[in-house]
Amino acid sequence: MARLVRQVSPLPTLHDLRVRRILELLPQDKKAVKGRIHWVIPERIGKVRISDQVPMNLVEAAFRDVQRGGWHE
């Protein structure tokens, strides 16, 4: 997916996004029900699990890791 997007233009940067603001907006996401976020968690190719039991400190840590470049294709 990232490769296809790069063919059109560079990927947007996440460095200037405020993590706290993102976390505040998550309950408004289309996957949220009554303010609880329903995460789509990949388990393997073709298999996902939906859960609202993901701790926000884990979400914040993962987002910060991605901001630092800790995620690679």
Side-chain angles (χ1 to χ4, degrees):
M1 178 80 78
R3 211 172 30 249
L4 291 172
V5 171
R6 276 194 207 98
Q7 288 177 358
V8 177
S9 68
L11 290 173
T13 180
L14 299 175
H15 299 292
D16 57 345
L17 295 178
R18 293 186 351 245
V19 175
R20 290 286 176 196
R21 181 66 179 138
I22 299 296
L23 296 177
E24 290 171 5
L25 293 172
L26 281 175
Q28 298 173 29
D29 184 82
K30 65 183 177 184
K31 291 176 290 302
V33 177
K34 295 182 182 176
R36 293 196 60 91
I37 302 157
H38 289 75
W39 297 94
V40 179
I41 304 167
E43 292 187 334
R44 62 179 186 272
I45 294 174
K47 173 88 168 123
V48 297
R49 178 171 47 97
I50 298 174
S51 175
D52 65 351
Q53 300 298 310
V54 178
M56 289 310 285
N57 63 328
L58 182 61
V59 173
E60 181 175 355
F63 189 86
R64 289 186 189 283
D65 188 46
V66 170
Q67 271 189 315
R68 286 190 302 273
W71 174 80
H72 302 284
E73 304 161 34

